[in-house]
Amino acid sequence: MDNILREDYQERVYAGVLGKVIGVYLGRPFEGWTYERIQERLGDIEYYVHDRLNLPLIVTDDDISGTFTFLRALEDHDADPDIAARQIGNSWLNYIIENRSILWWGGMGNSTEHTAFLRLKNGIEAPASGSEALNGKVVAEQIGAQIFIDGWAMVSPGNASLAAKLAREAASVSHDGEAVNGAVVLAVMEAMAFVESDINRLIDTALGHIPVDSLIARLIDDVRSWHAREPDWRATREMLAARYGYDKYGGNCHMVPNHGLIIHSLMHGEDDFSRTMKIINTCGWDTDCNSGNVGCLMGIKNSLSGIDAGMNSGLDWRGPVADRVYLPTAEGGRGISDCAREAVKIIHLGQRLAGDSVWTPKGGAQFHFEFPGAVQGFTVTEGEGEVANVVGYSESGQRSLQVSTNGQVHCGSPVFAPSKETAKFFETRGYSLMASPRIHSGQSIRARMSTGSESTVSVTLYVRAFGIDDEVETFYGDTLELTSGAGEELSLVVPESANPVFEVGISIAGPGSVYLDWLTWEGTPDVILTQPPHKGTMWRRSWINAVDSFLSWGEPYRLVQNDGVGLLIQGTRDWQDYKVSADVTPHLARRVGIAARVQGLKRYYALELTREDTVQIVEMLDTETILAEQPFEWSLGDTITLSLEVHGNQLTGKVNGTTCIEATSNTLQEGSIALLIEEGRTATHAVRIQPVDQS
């Protein structure tokens, strides 16, 4: 990156992520509505309307999940600028849980992404998986190529050629033809928005990367010509609908009409974030998709000041969102996330692609608050108080989180599904909230805090967990008395009974203000995961369910897999060296086992028992490699204790407490744990994760 771009790249990426999330949340409640229906029911969309439709603001949504998940293919392939569609397609199979996560599961020939997924699953590699030749023109040219493209642009700041190349590879996993052209146009515009502010010049650059005789190019020319002679966006919307409306194209949600609305809103938006968002959402059709793309581009182009300018008119776009996002995938530790966290991931990839050093705010603390205005999900969860991002009160950075109260307050951020009601709600709406807790028993939480108050303020770290019948239990660390002056650190070792943890934060007894510089956690969990002696359900939801049936029927964990390999996953990608142990009782299975350093459905190490009377250590990296194998006789119905220790590049397997197999591999350095079953049924009573020095 050149020096001018490097100076504000980080903030613009964060603004792009925020713009994407704000746009999706704004348009999601009335997705698919026509302009006429929106006018009749809601009028112009000038702010969030979820409450008017009795819907939550923070939702699970394919536009957000796909955008920040599919980009992980670049991370998994060492930030290779020549990454190919085939590799990105493999990442779909790794992170997507069939019929449960990310995609609209509308069926073959009805949902473009579902169609492509089935092609991939059945061995047809990308780009053939998304090709018009295989899937037909209508299916291949739906909107999905565009809605997931923003991340590939944000890792290519100021580099139109790279953005176009990456976008074409990513889009062709599931789409073809004009859908790919539209994705390339948007990606190039967003990449160049880091260095160019004029919308027309952005469009001109983007058009240079698609065929001049393409339908997308002709559409853009028409929209620009209409705008040139007609300033009323409602009038030009009618022109667009008349020539390129839904009635002109097949399928459920075609690329062409919606791409036209994106260009239309950018032309009429007068370079104003709030006005542009009003136009793109009021126009209707695929509102959350279009609004998310437009919000991302405007966020990149005008940075945070463009989003925050709405405050002058009383439009607080950021406050209600509080950076919160849900990303349900097979990597459960990313299920509960925030805009700052996802922005840092993108920034790292962009810096690696550019050959720059990687920015690690405050030593890699999970909550660092270094982006202006970022609260990273922290809100007042009990008591009365206020939360704000401020300059200063930081030892190793520029910013901190200010929490003010006149009495006593709890201020926390979610690290798992925040309530049983929230989890149940999303199970009924198509996109489940699948997530693993980010914090587990045995880990150490640390935070640095200070105060400017003249009086003494008491502060305590806390975690909240689901206890008996899913009632909320709160666990506190030691209390620290703060007075005006230098910052001090607090710590809390998460107790064994705090499981599953769903919130971490600080408790304050005021009056006064305290400043949270950073909050982080570290260490290997030391936890036994089993069914609690009560009838709560959140312990089950803390597992990422990638088996056909996860039952609690006589055993806490009864897993049934009808075809292929299924995994039941828990943990985060932060875990490195540890030992996982579990009892397994196979009733019918081709293979059964436990896995470590799990990074999805196609990336892990596993200790497995096979029906050929062998015990194996396998490495799964899209395809399976047997690293070691030994004879071991066993019978269906036997209860066998398995343990797999991962320590550096050493993999050690034990059966019934005896070391029987070892292997080495440097491929996977970190990841969560899983129970594994291939074609059959198995049962487990307890899973143990512990540090290697306690093995």
Side-chain angles (χ1 to χ4, degrees):
M1 299 181 197
D2 60 43
N3 289 331
I4 295 176
L5 176 56
R6 188 177 292 115
E7 288 178 359
D8 65 353
Y9 174 57
Q10 296 159 7
E11 184 174 316
R12 286 183 184 270
V13 169
Y14 174 59
V17 172
L18 264 177
K20 174 77 175 186
V21 170
I22 290 168
V24 172
Y25 291 161
L26 177 60
R28 183 68 180 88
F30 48 93
E31 179 186 15
W33 290 22
T34 63
Y35 168 78
E36 291 77 15
R37 185 182 178 192
I38 291 170
Q39 288 293 292
E40 180 181 350
R41 286 283 309 275
L42 300 170
D44 286 355
I45 305 300
E46 298 182 309
Y47 195 58
Y48 301 115
V49 297
H50 61 287
D51 51 346
R52 294 166 62 182
L53 298 172
N54 196 30
L55 293 169
L57 176 64
I58 313 301
V59 295
T60 52
D61 191 88
D62 57 336
D63 301 76
I64 293 174
S65 298
T67 297
F68 300 119
T69 298
F70 298 150
L71 187 63
R72 297 177 199 173
L74 194 60
E75 182 179 355
D76 292 340
H77 290 87
D78 200 28
D80 181 2
D82 294 319
I83 191 170
R86 177 185 60 81
Q87 295 165 305
I88 302 170
N90 287 340
S91 75
W92 279 46
L93 296 177
N94 185 54
Y95 292 111
I96 295 174
I97 301 175
E98 188 172 7
N99 294 320
R100 293 175 187 162
S101 68
I102 299 183
L103 306 182
W104 170 51
W105 299 98
M108 175 71 80
N110 189 37
S111 161
T112 299
E113 293 77 19
H114 193 175
T115 302
F117 179 87
L118 290 172
R119 302 298 193 198
L120 293 166
K121 177 186 174 183
N122 292 325
I124 298 172
E125 294 186 333
S129 55
S131 66
E132 180 179 325
L134 197 60
N135 300 331
K137 184 177 179 63
V138 169
V139 170
E141 291 191 337
Q142 298 299 300
I143 195 175
Q146 181 171 270
I147 68 176
F148 302 136
I149 215 66
D150 309 276
W152 302 96
M154 287 188 281
V155 299
S156 312
N159 191 335
S161 296
L162 179 61
K165 176 183 175 182
L166 293 174
R168 196 170 296 279
E169 296 295 326
S172 64
V173 172
S174 50
H175 291 74
D176 202 353
E178 296 298 341
V180 175
N181 288 334
V184 168
V185 165
L186 189 64
V188 171
M189 289 180 67
E190 290 182 349
M192 296 309 295
F194 283 95
V195 295
E196 173 59 65
S197 61
D198 184 85
I199 288 292
N200 279 298
R201 285 198 286 269
L202 292 177
I203 294 173
D204 289 340
T205 302
L207 287 172
H209 291 270
I210 65 171
V212 295
D213 60 349
S214 65
L215 178 56
I216 290 292
R218 185 165 72 249
L219 163 74
I220 292 172
D221 286 344
D222 282 343
V223 173
R224 295 173 85 178
S225 66
W226 295 333
H227 171 261
R229 66 175 186 264
E230 174 55 72
D232 184 351
W233 66 266
R234 299 179 199 273
T236 55
R237 187 211 64 81
E238 292 181 6
M239 298 176 190
L240 174 62
R243 183 170 296 182
Y244 296 103
Y246 267 30
D247 59 316
K248 308 299 190 297
Y249 301 94
N252 299 292
C253 194
H254 201 276
M255 166 70 83
V256 169
N258 289 288
H259 190 84
L261 284 183
I262 286 177
I263 302 300
H264 168 263
S265 68
L266 293 170
M267 298 301 297
H268 283 282
E270 299 176 1
D271 207 31
D272 180 88
F273 180 87
S274 298
R275 174 176 168 81
T276 306
M277 298 304 280
K278 179 184 81 170
I279 294 172
I280 193 62
N281 281 282
T282 305
C283 282
W285 293 338
D286 200 345
T287 47
D288 60 336
C289 300
N290 299 337
S291 179
N293 287 139
V294 169
C296 183
L297 193 154
M298 292 296 292
I300 295 168
K301 189 173 75 69
N302 295 347
S303 199
L304 294 174
S305 60
I307 298 174
D308 292 339
M311 295 290 287
N312 297 328
S313 304
L315 301 177
D316 179 11
W317 294 111
R318 301 173 64 184
V321 172
D323 289 320
R324 292 168 290 177
V325 291
Y326 299 142
L327 305 176
T329 73
E331 188 183 343
R334 292 277 288 274
I336 306 297
S337 192
D338 62 75
C339 291
R341 186 186 188 200
E342 296 308 312
V344 169
K345 297 282 188 182
I346 294 171
I347 291 163
H348 285 177
L349 289 171
Q351 291 170 330
R352 290 172 65 188
L353 283 168
D356 283 357
S357 58
V358 171
W359 175 61
T360 306
K362 297 181 181 176
Q366 283 90 340
F367 297 116
H368 54 81
F369 315 110
E370 276 297 270
F371 295 111
V375 298
Q376 294 192 250
F378 274 83
T379 58
V380 172
T381 58
E382 183 180 327
E384 294 185 2
E386 296 182 353
V387 177
N389 180 291
V390 297
V391 175
Y393 296 95
S394 176
E395 182 181 46
S396 57
Q398 302 296 317
R399 296 179 170 273
S400 60
L401 187 75
Q402 181 186 47
V403 185
S404 303
T405 179
N406 288 323
Q408 186 156 353
V409 69
H410 286 69
C411 179
S413 184
V415 291
F416 177 48
S419 71
K420 180 167 63 175
E421 292 70 28
T422 298
K424 289 179 66 175
F425 173 83
F426 291 123
E427 287 175 359
T428 65
R429 63 179 298 275
Y431 301 116
S432 297
L433 176 54
M434 293 186 297
S436 177
R438 295 171 62 188
I439 298 175
H440 286 73
S441 301
Q443 293 187 296
S444 177
I445 303 171
R446 296 186 298 115
R448 183 181 184 275
M449 305 197 65
S450 58
T451 182
S453 302
E454 293 299 326
S455 58
T456 299
V457 181
S458 299
V459 294
T460 308
L461 277 175
Y462 75 87
V463 293
R464 284 183 165 147
F466 293 110
I468 296 175
D469 294 327
D470 294 331
E471 293 297 320
V472 173
E473 296 182 346
T474 305
F475 302 85
Y476 297 95
D478 294 333
T479 299
L480 181 65
E481 304 294 331
L482 286 178
T483 55
S484 181
E488 298 188 53
E489 285 195 19
L490 293 83
S491 64
L492 166 64
V493 176
V494 183
E496 180 180 352
S497 55
N499 181 45
V501 174
F502 70 88
E503 179 180 307
V504 64
I506 54 173
S507 172
I508 305 166
S513 294
V514 300
Y515 300 88
L516 178 58
D517 185 356
W518 48 260
L519 188 150
T520 193
W521 54 89
E522 57 202 3
T524 301
D526 189 352
V527 59
I528 298 174
L529 301 172
T530 188
Q531 182 176 3
H534 52 73
K535 297 181 180 180
T537 62
M538 294 309 287
W539 71 274
R540 288 176 56 84
R541 290 191 172 98
S542 69
W543 290 88
I544 304 302
N545 181 9
V547 294
D548 288 331
S549 297
F550 170 25
L551 308 171
S552 180
W553 191 357
E555 312 96 358
Y557 305 99
R558 178 180 291 192
L559 311 184
V560 179
Q561 186 69 12
N562 301 322
D563 181 59
V565 174
L567 298 176
L568 188 69
I569 306 169
Q570 176 139 181
T572 75
R573 203 146 171 171
D574 302 328
W575 300 359
Q576 295 179 340
D577 295 341
Y578 57 87
K579 174 183 174 182
V580 54
S581 307
D583 63 284
V584 297
T585 306
H587 294 274
L588 178 66
R590 291 187 62 184
R591 284 187 294 171
V592 65
I594 57 176
R597 292 183 180 167
V598 179
Q599 299 177 3
L601 302 180
K602 299 289 186 179
R603 297 172 64 89
Y604 57 80
Y605 297 122
L607 176 68
E608 301 176 350
L609 302 176
T610 77
R611 288 304 298 140
E612 288 74 36
D613 284 334
T614 65
V615 58
Q616 301 174 339
I617 293 180
V618 303
E619 174 187 281
M620 172 61 80
L621 198 66
D622 296 329
T623 59
E624 186 178 272
T625 300
I626 298 175
L627 300 179
E629 184 175 39
Q630 296 289 341
F632 181 80
E633 293 186 6
W634 60 285
S635 300
L636 294 174
D638 290 349
T639 297
I640 305 161
T641 301
L642 301 177
S643 68
L644 177 60
E645 182 178 300
V646 287
H647 192 187
N649 67 349
Q650 300 297 310
L651 314 174
T652 304
K654 294 182 180 181
V655 179
N656 294 330
T658 301
T659 300
C660 65
I661 191 167
E662 296 179 316
T664 60
S665 174
N666 286 312
T667 304
L668 302 172
Q669 303 298 320
E670 57 196 8
S672 53
I673 62 95
L675 296 170
L676 179 149
I677 173 70
E678 180 180 11
E679 294 180 15
R681 167 189 158 200
T682 184
T684 292
H685 284 83
V687 181
R688 174 85 187 267
I689 304 104
Q690 60 192 128
V692 293
D693 58 4
Q694 294 183 20
S695 301

